[in-house]
Amino acid sequence: MTILDGKKVSNDIKNEITAEVDKMKARGEKVPHLAAIIVGNDGASLTYVGSKVKACERVGFESTLVKMPDTTSELELLKKIKELNEDDNIDGFIVQLPLPPQIDTQKVLLTVDPSKDVDGFHPENFGKMALDMSTFIPATPFGILELLQRYDVDTKGKHTVVIGRSHIVGRPMSILMSRKGWPGNSTVTLTHSNTKNIAQITTQADIIISALGVPNFLKAEMVKDDVVIIDVGITRVEDPSHPKGYVITGDVDFENVSKKASFITPVPGGVGPMTIAMLLKNTLLAREQRKV
């Protein structure tokens, strides 16, 4: 069994990006600039955005954090997005989700300039991804592809089962794993909360990508020997014995499933660190495209 070490691979990617930024500086070019808008005080979102800002510093990017109160109106947010769209100094930006209830998330995502949409959520970028055209791939699926590639995991002709159909992970992964090329060329089954006899489907899978958000959902009896497991789930589970009072748990019963797996991502330290690394990679791509 091989651990797909997202922490290590994300560090390798950050080192590669740093080297690219150093070359840009040596040529006297503008370095990539990533901005993030956060509305409200959601603890997990603040932590996540904070780590994005730190990651920018680490690779030599410029970064801007736009904090807006949770009372922000939809109109005020759309105005701020328009400002960032028109600011030539900013190469890419993200709007941290979830947004407060008074704001229509779809309307917000549609307002972001697709050439600056480094999250890959705009329908134009999503459509290009579905058509195998060059575009920004959403950071978490992009990170999963990178892990599979760097660990040389064979996906051709394999049966991939995706658990969860979110627009951020499940749906894009189902498209990417079935595309021509590598990682890809696999036969994909997309399962979700209405799928019947899910264990019957997962026991046939060569590769399982779980993005459900249900702690320890995938048990050892639900997988076959030598399965490849990508665990995208990340849930805080209360644990009084832990110093923090909780533990971070994935969708997969790691202890037991890992005994049957050929490759598996840990939680934490698997897919999570890859997401931020690939957001940086998308920002680097955005900067390069803006030079053309």
Side-chain angles (χ1 to χ4, degrees), residues 93-94 114 116-123 125-127 129 135-139 167 279 282:
F93 70 94
I94 60 154
K116 292 188 176 190
D117 167 41
V118 287
D119 255 340
F121 293 163
H122 192 284
N125 289 327
F126 199 97
M129 178 199 71
T135 189
F136 297 119
I137 296 173
H167 295 163
L279 181 70
N282 273 345

PDB file of all heavy atoms in Angstrom, residues 93-94 114 116-123 125-127 129 135-139 167 279 282:
ATOM      1  N   PHE A  93      -8.595  35.761  -9.127  1.00  0.00           N
ATOM      2  CA  PHE A  93      -9.176  35.937  -7.790  1.00  0.00           C
ATOM      3  C   PHE A  93     -10.249  34.892  -7.544  1.00  0.00           C
ATOM      4  O   PHE A  93     -10.775  34.276  -8.476  1.00  0.00           O
ATOM      5  CB  PHE A  93      -9.693  37.359  -7.570  1.00  0.00           C
ATOM      6  CG  PHE A  93     -10.916  37.750  -8.354  1.00  0.00           C
ATOM      7  CD1 PHE A  93     -12.187  37.617  -7.815  1.00  0.00           C
ATOM      8  CD2 PHE A  93     -10.790  38.282  -9.632  1.00  0.00           C
ATOM      9  CE1 PHE A  93     -13.312  38.003  -8.531  1.00  0.00           C
ATOM     10  CE2 PHE A  93     -11.912  38.678 -10.349  1.00  0.00           C
ATOM     11  CZ  PHE A  93     -13.178  38.532  -9.796  1.00  0.00           C
ATOM     12  N   ILE A  94     -10.524  34.713  -6.264  1.00  0.00           N
ATOM     13  CA  ILE A  94     -11.547  33.750  -5.858  1.00  0.00           C
ATOM     14  C   ILE A  94     -12.535  34.437  -4.919  1.00  0.00           C
ATOM     15  O   ILE A  94     -12.179  35.390  -4.231  1.00  0.00           O
ATOM     16  CB  ILE A  94     -10.926  32.522  -5.145  1.00  0.00           C
ATOM     17  CG1 ILE A  94     -10.176  32.960  -3.882  1.00  0.00           C
ATOM     18  CG2 ILE A  94     -10.001  31.753  -6.057  1.00  0.00           C
ATOM     19  CD1 ILE A  94     -10.090  31.897  -2.832  1.00  0.00           C
ATOM     20  N   PRO A 114     -14.041  35.118 -16.592  1.00  0.00           N
ATOM     21  CA  PRO A 114     -13.523  33.748 -16.763  1.00  0.00           C
ATOM     22  C   PRO A 114     -11.992  33.680 -16.870  1.00  0.00           C
ATOM     23  O   PRO A 114     -11.392  32.698 -16.453  1.00  0.00           O
ATOM     24  CB  PRO A 114     -14.178  33.280 -18.072  1.00  0.00           C
ATOM     25  CG  PRO A 114     -15.405  34.102 -18.205  1.00  0.00           C
ATOM     26  CD  PRO A 114     -15.077  35.438 -17.595  1.00  0.00           C
ATOM     27  N   LYS A 116      -9.953  35.308 -15.146  1.00  0.00           N
ATOM     28  CA  LYS A 116      -9.386  35.473 -13.794  1.00  0.00           C
ATOM     29  C   LYS A 116      -9.954  34.453 -12.812  1.00  0.00           C
ATOM     30  O   LYS A 116      -9.645  34.481 -11.626  1.00  0.00           O
ATOM     31  CB  LYS A 116      -9.677  36.894 -13.279  1.00  0.00           C
ATOM     32  CG  LYS A 116      -8.937  37.991 -14.045  1.00  0.00           C
ATOM     33  CD  LYS A 116      -9.110  39.335 -13.353  1.00  0.00           C
ATOM     34  CE  LYS A 116      -8.298  40.416 -14.059  1.00  0.00           C
ATOM     35  NZ  LYS A 116      -8.267  41.666 -13.273  1.00  0.00           N
ATOM     36  N   ASP A 117     -10.796  33.555 -13.311  1.00  0.00           N
ATOM     37  CA  ASP A 117     -11.517  32.591 -12.470  1.00  0.00           C
ATOM     38  C   ASP A 117     -10.621  31.392 -12.152  1.00  0.00           C
ATOM     39  O   ASP A 117     -10.787  30.301 -12.693  1.00  0.00           O
ATOM     40  CB  ASP A 117     -12.794  32.148 -13.217  1.00  0.00           C
ATOM     41  CG  ASP A 117     -13.454  30.935 -12.596  1.00  0.00           C
ATOM     42  OD1 ASP A 117     -13.514  30.862 -11.359  1.00  0.00           O
ATOM     43  OD2 ASP A 117     -13.896  30.046 -13.359  1.00  0.00           O
ATOM     44  N   VAL A 118      -9.657  31.607 -11.232  1.00  0.00           N
ATOM     45  CA  VAL A 118      -8.679  30.550 -10.937  1.00  0.00           C
ATOM     46  C   VAL A 118      -9.276  29.398 -10.127  1.00  0.00           C
ATOM     47  O   VAL A 118      -8.634  28.367  -9.940  1.00  0.00           O
ATOM     48  CB  VAL A 118      -7.409  31.126 -10.253  1.00  0.00           C
ATOM     49  CG1 VAL A 118      -6.576  31.902 -11.265  1.00  0.00           C
ATOM     50  CG2 VAL A 118      -7.760  32.021  -9.066  1.00  0.00           C
ATOM     51  N   ASP A 119     -10.526  29.559  -9.650  1.00  0.00           N
ATOM     52  CA  ASP A 119     -11.226  28.449  -8.995  1.00  0.00           C
ATOM     53  C   ASP A 119     -11.836  27.503 -10.033  1.00  0.00           C
ATOM     54  O   ASP A 119     -12.229  26.385  -9.711  1.00  0.00           O
ATOM     55  CB  ASP A 119     -12.344  28.986  -8.087  1.00  0.00           C
ATOM     56  CG  ASP A 119     -11.980  28.921  -6.611  1.00  0.00           C
ATOM     57  OD1 ASP A 119     -11.077  28.140  -6.263  1.00  0.00           O
ATOM     58  OD2 ASP A 119     -12.598  29.645  -5.812  1.00  0.00           O
ATOM     59  N   GLY A 120     -11.967  27.983 -11.278  1.00  0.00           N
ATOM     60  CA  GLY A 120     -12.535  27.150 -12.347  1.00  0.00           C
ATOM     61  C   GLY A 120     -14.023  26.906 -12.198  1.00  0.00           C
ATOM     62  O   GLY A 120     -14.548  25.899 -12.685  1.00  0.00           O
ATOM     63  N   PHE A 121     -14.753  27.829 -11.539  1.00  0.00           N
ATOM     64  CA  PHE A 121     -16.179  27.622 -11.280  1.00  0.00           C
ATOM     65  C   PHE A 121     -17.089  28.275 -12.320  1.00  0.00           C
ATOM     66  O   PHE A 121     -18.281  27.989 -12.355  1.00  0.00           O
ATOM     67  CB  PHE A 121     -16.566  28.171  -9.893  1.00  0.00           C
ATOM     68  CG  PHE A 121     -15.964  27.425  -8.735  1.00  0.00           C
ATOM     69  CD1 PHE A 121     -15.933  27.994  -7.468  1.00  0.00           C
ATOM     70  CD2 PHE A 121     -15.425  26.149  -8.904  1.00  0.00           C
ATOM     71  CE1 PHE A 121     -15.385  27.307  -6.384  1.00  0.00           C
ATOM     72  CE2 PHE A 121     -14.866  25.458  -7.831  1.00  0.00           C
ATOM     73  CZ  PHE A 121     -14.848  26.043  -6.565  1.00  0.00           C
ATOM     74  N   HIS A 122     -16.568  29.210 -13.107  1.00  0.00           N
ATOM     75  CA  HIS A 122     -17.418  29.896 -14.087  1.00  0.00           C
ATOM     76  C   HIS A 122     -17.910  28.893 -15.135  1.00  0.00           C
ATOM     77  O   HIS A 122     -17.136  28.031 -15.588  1.00  0.00           O
ATOM     78  CB  HIS A 122     -16.637  31.023 -14.771  1.00  0.00           C
ATOM     79  CG  HIS A 122     -17.491  31.948 -15.573  1.00  0.00           C
ATOM     80  ND1 HIS A 122     -17.992  31.596 -16.810  1.00  0.00           N
ATOM     81  CD2 HIS A 122     -17.967  33.198 -15.313  1.00  0.00           C
ATOM     82  CE1 HIS A 122     -18.731  32.592 -17.272  1.00  0.00           C
ATOM     83  NE2 HIS A 122     -18.725  33.578 -16.385  1.00  0.00           N
ATOM     84  N   PRO A 123     -19.200  28.980 -15.558  1.00  0.00           N
ATOM     85  CA  PRO A 123     -19.719  28.026 -16.545  1.00  0.00           C
ATOM     86  C   PRO A 123     -18.871  27.949 -17.826  1.00  0.00           C
ATOM     87  O   PRO A 123     -18.776  26.877 -18.425  1.00  0.00           O
ATOM     88  CB  PRO A 123     -21.114  28.558 -16.856  1.00  0.00           C
ATOM     89  CG  PRO A 123     -21.516  29.326 -15.647  1.00  0.00           C
ATOM     90  CD  PRO A 123     -20.254  29.908 -15.082  1.00  0.00           C
ATOM     91  N   ASN A 125     -15.581  28.199 -18.049  1.00  0.00           N
ATOM     92  CA  ASN A 125     -14.432  27.338 -17.767  1.00  0.00           C
ATOM     93  C   ASN A 125     -14.853  25.891 -17.544  1.00  0.00           C
ATOM     94  O   ASN A 125     -14.179  24.954 -17.982  1.00  0.00           O
ATOM     95  CB  ASN A 125     -13.649  27.866 -16.555  1.00  0.00           C
ATOM     96  CG  ASN A 125     -12.908  29.149 -16.876  1.00  0.00           C
ATOM     97  OD1 ASN A 125     -12.450  29.346 -18.003  1.00  0.00           O
ATOM     98  ND2 ASN A 125     -12.791  30.041 -15.912  1.00  0.00           N
ATOM     99  N   PHE A 126     -16.003  25.716 -16.861  1.00  0.00           N
ATOM    100  CA  PHE A 126     -16.522  24.360 -16.628  1.00  0.00           C
ATOM    101  C   PHE A 126     -16.855  23.697 -17.964  1.00  0.00           C
ATOM    102  O   PHE A 126     -16.534  22.516 -18.191  1.00  0.00           O
ATOM    103  CB  PHE A 126     -17.761  24.417 -15.732  1.00  0.00           C
ATOM    104  CG  PHE A 126     -18.095  23.102 -15.082  1.00  0.00           C
ATOM    105  CD1 PHE A 126     -17.681  22.834 -13.792  1.00  0.00           C
ATOM    106  CD2 PHE A 126     -18.805  22.121 -15.764  1.00  0.00           C
ATOM    107  CE1 PHE A 126     -17.985  21.606 -13.181  1.00  0.00           C
ATOM    108  CE2 PHE A 126     -19.111  20.905 -15.169  1.00  0.00           C
ATOM    109  CZ  PHE A 126     -18.695  20.651 -13.878  1.00  0.00           C
ATOM    110  N   GLY A 127     -17.468  24.458 -18.858  1.00  0.00           N
ATOM    111  CA  GLY A 127     -17.819  23.936 -20.191  1.00  0.00           C
ATOM    112  C   GLY A 127     -16.582  23.561 -20.992  1.00  0.00           C
ATOM    113  O   GLY A 127     -16.547  22.505 -21.644  1.00  0.00           O
ATOM    114  N   MET A 129     -13.708  22.679 -19.767  1.00  0.00           N
ATOM    115  CA  MET A 129     -13.156  21.466 -19.154  1.00  0.00           C
ATOM    116  C   MET A 129     -13.916  20.232 -19.665  1.00  0.00           C
ATOM    117  O   MET A 129     -13.317  19.217 -20.027  1.00  0.00           O
ATOM    118  CB  MET A 129     -13.277  21.560 -17.634  1.00  0.00           C
ATOM    119  CG  MET A 129     -12.785  20.331 -16.892  1.00  0.00           C
ATOM    120  SD  MET A 129     -13.430  20.244 -15.213  1.00  0.00           S
ATOM    121  CE  MET A 129     -15.152  19.868 -15.502  1.00  0.00           C
ATOM    122  N   THR A 135      -8.185  25.099 -20.093  1.00  0.00           N
ATOM    123  CA  THR A 135      -8.905  26.023 -19.208  1.00  0.00           C
ATOM    124  C   THR A 135      -8.413  25.846 -17.777  1.00  0.00           C
ATOM    125  O   THR A 135      -7.529  25.040 -17.512  1.00  0.00           O
ATOM    126  CB  THR A 135     -10.423  25.759 -19.291  1.00  0.00           C
ATOM    127  OG1 THR A 135     -11.100  26.801 -18.600  1.00  0.00           O
ATOM    128  CG2 THR A 135     -10.814  24.408 -18.694  1.00  0.00           C
ATOM    129  N   PHE A 136      -9.013  26.599 -16.852  1.00  0.00           N
ATOM    130  CA  PHE A 136      -8.719  26.407 -15.424  1.00  0.00           C
ATOM    131  C   PHE A 136      -9.563  25.238 -14.919  1.00  0.00           C
ATOM    132  O   PHE A 136     -10.788  25.264 -15.010  1.00  0.00           O
ATOM    133  CB  PHE A 136      -9.092  27.654 -14.609  1.00  0.00           C
ATOM    134  CG  PHE A 136      -8.313  28.879 -14.977  1.00  0.00           C
ATOM    135  CD1 PHE A 136      -8.961  30.009 -15.454  1.00  0.00           C
ATOM    136  CD2 PHE A 136      -6.932  28.924 -14.843  1.00  0.00           C
ATOM    137  CE1 PHE A 136      -8.257  31.154 -15.792  1.00  0.00           C
ATOM    138  CE2 PHE A 136      -6.211  30.063 -15.187  1.00  0.00           C
ATOM    139  CZ  PHE A 136      -6.874  31.181 -15.664  1.00  0.00           C
ATOM    140  N   ILE A 137      -8.894  24.225 -14.383  1.00  0.00           N
ATOM    141  CA  ILE A 137      -9.608  23.090 -13.778  1.00  0.00           C
ATOM    142  C   ILE A 137      -9.807  23.426 -12.303  1.00  0.00           C
ATOM    143  O   ILE A 137      -8.875  23.922 -11.662  1.00  0.00           O
ATOM    144  CB  ILE A 137      -8.784  21.787 -13.933  1.00  0.00           C
ATOM    145  CG1 ILE A 137      -8.636  21.428 -15.419  1.00  0.00           C
ATOM    146  CG2 ILE A 137      -9.423  20.633 -13.174  1.00  0.00           C
ATOM    147  CD1 ILE A 137      -7.694  20.265 -15.684  1.00  0.00           C
ATOM    148  N   PRO A 138     -11.014  23.193 -11.737  1.00  0.00           N
ATOM    149  CA  PRO A 138     -11.205  23.471 -10.310  1.00  0.00           C
ATOM    150  C   PRO A 138     -10.081  22.850  -9.471  1.00  0.00           C
ATOM    151  O   PRO A 138      -9.628  21.733  -9.749  1.00  0.00           O
ATOM    152  CB  PRO A 138     -12.557  22.823  -9.995  1.00  0.00           C
ATOM    153  CG  PRO A 138     -13.278  22.811 -11.301  1.00  0.00           C
ATOM    154  CD  PRO A 138     -12.229  22.628 -12.353  1.00  0.00           C
ATOM    155  N   ALA A 139      -9.637  23.602  -8.453  1.00  0.00           N
ATOM    156  CA  ALA A 139      -8.388  23.264  -7.757  1.00  0.00           C
ATOM    157  C   ALA A 139      -8.356  21.867  -7.129  1.00  0.00           C
ATOM    158  O   ALA A 139      -7.339  21.174  -7.217  1.00  0.00           O
ATOM    159  CB  ALA A 139      -8.097  24.325  -6.700  1.00  0.00           C
ATOM    160  N   HIS A 167     -20.693  20.355  -7.647  1.00  0.00           N
ATOM    161  CA  HIS A 167     -20.103  21.029  -8.808  1.00  0.00           C
ATOM    162  C   HIS A 167     -18.625  21.312  -8.583  1.00  0.00           C
ATOM    163  O   HIS A 167     -17.891  21.591  -9.526  1.00  0.00           O
ATOM    164  CB  HIS A 167     -20.836  22.349  -9.072  1.00  0.00           C
ATOM    165  CG  HIS A 167     -22.258  22.141  -9.478  1.00  0.00           C
ATOM    166  ND1 HIS A 167     -23.208  23.132  -9.452  1.00  0.00           N
ATOM    167  CD2 HIS A 167     -22.898  21.028  -9.921  1.00  0.00           C
ATOM    168  CE1 HIS A 167     -24.368  22.645  -9.861  1.00  0.00           C
ATOM    169  NE2 HIS A 167     -24.208  21.372 -10.142  1.00  0.00           N
ATOM    170  N   LEU A 279      -4.406  25.864  -6.820  1.00  0.00           N
ATOM    171  CA  LEU A 279      -4.922  27.235  -6.951  1.00  0.00           C
ATOM    172  C   LEU A 279      -3.762  28.165  -7.338  1.00  0.00           C
ATOM    173  O   LEU A 279      -3.904  29.039  -8.199  1.00  0.00           O
ATOM    174  CB  LEU A 279      -5.551  27.674  -5.629  1.00  0.00           C
ATOM    175  CG  LEU A 279      -6.149  29.078  -5.620  1.00  0.00           C
ATOM    176  CD1 LEU A 279      -7.398  29.154  -6.475  1.00  0.00           C
ATOM    177  CD2 LEU A 279      -6.467  29.510  -4.191  1.00  0.00           C
ATOM    178  N   ASN A 282      -2.947  27.520 -10.983  1.00  0.00           N
ATOM    179  CA  ASN A 282      -3.913  28.202 -11.851  1.00  0.00           C
ATOM    180  C   ASN A 282      -3.605  29.703 -11.943  1.00  0.00           C
ATOM    181  O   ASN A 282      -3.754  30.307 -13.002  1.00  0.00           O
ATOM    182  CB  ASN A 282      -5.344  27.998 -11.333  1.00  0.00           C
ATOM    183  CG  ASN A 282      -5.982  26.717 -11.857  1.00  0.00           C
ATOM    184  OD1 ASN A 282      -5.502  26.108 -12.812  1.00  0.00           O
ATOM    185  ND2 ASN A 282      -7.063  26.289 -11.234  1.00  0.00           N
TER     186      ASN A 282
END
